[in-house]
Amino acid sequence: MALTDVGVRNAKPKDKLYRLFDERGMYLEISAAGGKWWRLKYRFGGKEKRLSLGVYPDVGLKEARDRRDAARKLLANGVDPSIERKVQKAATVERSANSFEAVAREWFARQSPGWATTHADKIMGRLEKDVFPWLGGRAIAEIKAPDVLAVLRRVEARGALDTAHRVHQNCGQVFRYAVATGRAERDVSADLRGALPAARHTHFASVTEPREVAGLLRAFDGFQGTFVVQCALRLAPLFFVRPGELRTAEWAQFDLEKAQWRYTVSKTKTEHLVPLATQAVAILRELEALTGQRKYVFPGRDVKKPMSGAAINAALRRMGFDTKTEITGHGFRAMARTILHEQLRFPSEVIEHQLAHKVSDALGTAYNRTRFIDDRVVMMQKWADYLDKLKTGTDVLRIATIS
């Protein structure tokens, strides 16, 4: 007699396992502990076999019968349903291993050890926010150019055109890695060149007029926030390094007696030397009394970690500066580059070396941390003196080009 929903629901456990039979080889197996499993008994190749059809009540009577019928269709076509299930499971595992997200995370794991932490975080953040929710679970070999374009259009639609271009670039890197590892035939994102409008690149907001710089420096001295952040603000224009390099500066990198700061440039992975003006050393001496026993010069709320990447810009906004149109943490580099050349008349190559930019010389050397070092020591002190005079309102004379 065929089973009913009521009969299945009311079936109680007994002292030992027992079975309630339905039709066409299906039965319900009930354990002494009360568990209920759907099974199908069938013969294949002259042998009696059994196939699990699911667990009750997750799989109801109707669904169990549908699964039974599907298995019997396979049998009618000469296919063993238990073998077919193993094949499908293996295919699912392979598909999961070759999904866009799996390949992307594998690519990221291989590449990211050579990147700056902030750069790596941005890339994975873009993938997790803008790509994985729509493409992550799909087999990378099955993804087509229109699928990727839909992802890019979604980013573009929220007004983040530059991010859309970066997502396009990152997807291309993942696809090329998939091609190299035999999991995709080609980089389909290459078909989307020109599909997005060109991004308008703007420079970081910066102050380059001496009068405006003077007001900025005076605001730093009057900053009402923490002493650590105030010191970072006062040192930012003196060092004009990248914001991430400033906030992650470590005391072990400084030699205050020699007035030097040596660290590895985050962008180029080259060693860099920052000569310290006497004003910079004085600020560091003050700060050393507070954080000198810590790893980081500018520790965050968790003193084992550096100051937040948003701290400088947050402090600038707190003082009333617009970080989109007036000044940003990265803007001190443009400030120094402009004024050192136009007002203080220092040669471009000396400034560019102090900015840790790649500057090829006649011998083809891309960057040399000690090149122009004597000139750079002079320049950094002249720069600090110039900023002091701006801040106090003293007339600032143009300094002749160094010989």
Side-chain angles (χ1 to χ4, degrees), residues 314-329:
L316 290 169
R317 288 192 294 270
R318 181 175 175 180
M319 290 184 288
F321 295 101
D322 188 328
T323 54
K324 292 185 177 180
T325 62
E326 293 181 285
I327 183 67
T328 183

Side-chain angles (χ1 to χ4, degrees), residues 118-189:
T118 52
H119 178 64
D121 290 345
K122 287 178 182 178
I123 288 179
M124 184 49 67
R126 283 194 290 269
L127 291 172
E128 290 180 338
K129 177 182 179 181
D130 297 318
V131 185
F132 291 167
W134 293 275
L135 299 182
R138 297 182 56 180
I140 195 166
E142 297 175 4
I143 297 173
K144 307 299 182 184
D147 302 323
V148 180
L149 181 60
V151 166
L152 302 182
R153 291 289 189 223
R154 193 174 288 108
V155 180
E156 179 191 5
R158 69 169 190 260
L161 182 57
D162 187 62
T163 299
H165 279 280
R166 294 181 186 276
V167 169
H168 183 197
Q169 177 187 19
N170 297 148
C171 285
Q173 292 168 318
V174 174
F175 277 112
R176 289 191 291 276
Y177 178 76
V179 172
T181 55
R183 286 174 283 185
E185 293 295 324
R186 56 187 295 273
D187 171 15
V188 298
S189 73

Side-chain angles (χ1 to χ4, degrees), residues 89-352:
K89 184 176 181 180
T92 300
V93 171
E94 182 180 2
R95 182 186 180 90
S96 177
N98 294 331
S99 69
F100 184 93
E101 181 171 353
V103 175
R105 290 191 182 279
E106 182 181 317
W107 163 78
F108 181 83
R110 290 181 176 276
Q111 299 296 324
S112 59
W115 298 338
T117 302
T118 52
H119 178 64
D121 290 345
K122 287 178 182 178
I123 288 179
M124 184 49 67
R126 283 194 290 269
L127 291 172
E128 290 180 338
K129 177 182 179 181
D130 297 318
V131 185
F132 291 167
W134 293 275
L135 299 182
R138 297 182 56 180
I140 195 166
E142 297 175 4
I143 297 173
K144 307 299 182 184
D147 302 323
V148 180
L149 181 60
V151 166
L152 302 182
R153 291 289 189 223
R154 193 174 288 108
V155 180
E156 179 191 5
R158 69 169 190 260
L161 182 57
D162 187 62
T163 299
H165 279 280
R166 294 181 186 276
V167 169
H168 183 197
Q169 177 187 19
N170 297 148
C171 285
Q173 292 168 318
V174 174
F175 277 112
R176 289 191 291 276
Y177 178 76
V179 172
T181 55
R183 286 174 283 185
E185 293 295 324
R186 56 187 295 273
D187 171 15
V188 298
S189 73
D191 296 339
L192 301 178
R193 292 192 182 99
L196 293 174
R200 295 181 180 180
H201 295 286
T202 57
H203 296 292
F204 290 103
S206 181
V207 175
T208 56
E209 289 296 325
R211 290 182 182 275
E212 295 178 3
V213 173
L216 183 69
L217 298 175
R218 286 193 284 269
F220 290 173
D221 283 350
F223 178 64
Q224 297 298 307
T226 67
F227 184 63
V228 169
V229 174
Q230 185 191 49
C231 287
L233 288 168
R234 294 166 64 196
L235 289 168
L238 293 175
F239 292 162
F240 51 88
V241 296
R242 295 175 178 86
E245 295 162 353
L246 176 70
R247 74 180 186 87
T248 59
E250 300 177 14
W251 281 113
Q253 300 166 341
F254 286 83
D255 187 331
L256 298 185
E257 295 300 323
K258 294 183 178 179
Q260 294 179 343
W261 174 24
R262 296 173 183 268
Y263 70 92
T264 300
V265 178
S266 59
K267 195 169 185 179
T268 61
K269 302 302 179 184
T270 54
E271 187 178 340
H272 185 50
L273 173 62
V274 178
L276 305 178
T278 55
Q279 292 91 330
V281 172
I283 296 171
L284 288 167
R285 291 286 189 197
E286 288 184 80
L287 186 58
E288 187 179 28
L290 179 64
T291 69
Q293 301 304 311
R294 307 293 184 186
K295 175 181 179 179
Y296 294 105
V297 177
F298 309 104
R301 291 183 178 180
D302 180 348
V303 295
K304 295 181 180 179
K305 297 180 179 180
M307 180 174 65
S308 164
I312 292 294
N313 280 352
L316 290 169
R317 288 192 294 270
R318 181 175 175 180
M319 290 184 288
F321 295 101
D322 188 328
T323 54
K324 292 185 177 180
T325 62
E326 293 181 285
I327 183 67
T328 183
H330 205 285
F332 297 111
R333 292 169 64 76
M335 174 199 295
R337 183 193 300 113
T338 301
I339 297 178
L340 281 170
H341 184 60
E342 294 181 359
Q343 300 293 328
L344 304 187
R345 303 299 190 188
F346 280 91
S348 295
E349 59 268 29
V350 176
I351 301 170
E352 292 300 307

Side-chain angles (χ1 to χ4, degrees), residues 339-372:
I339 297 178
L340 281 170
H341 184 60
E342 294 181 359
Q343 300 293 328
L344 304 187
R345 303 299 190 188
F346 280 91
S348 295
E349 59 268 29
V350 176
I351 301 170
E352 292 300 307
H353 269 78
Q354 192 53 56
L355 287 164
H357 286 165
K358 292 183 177 181
V359 184
S360 298
D361 57 21
L363 299 177
T365 303
Y367 176 73
N368 182 340
R369 68 179 175 81
T370 61
R371 187 162 172 78
F372 302 118

Side-chain angles (χ1 to χ4, degrees), residues 45-62:
K47 294 182 180 180
E48 184 176 287
K49 305 183 75 172
R50 283 173 173 75
L51 180 71
S52 173
L53 299 177
V55 179
Y56 182 86
D58 295 338
V59 176
L61 177 58
K62 182 180 183 304

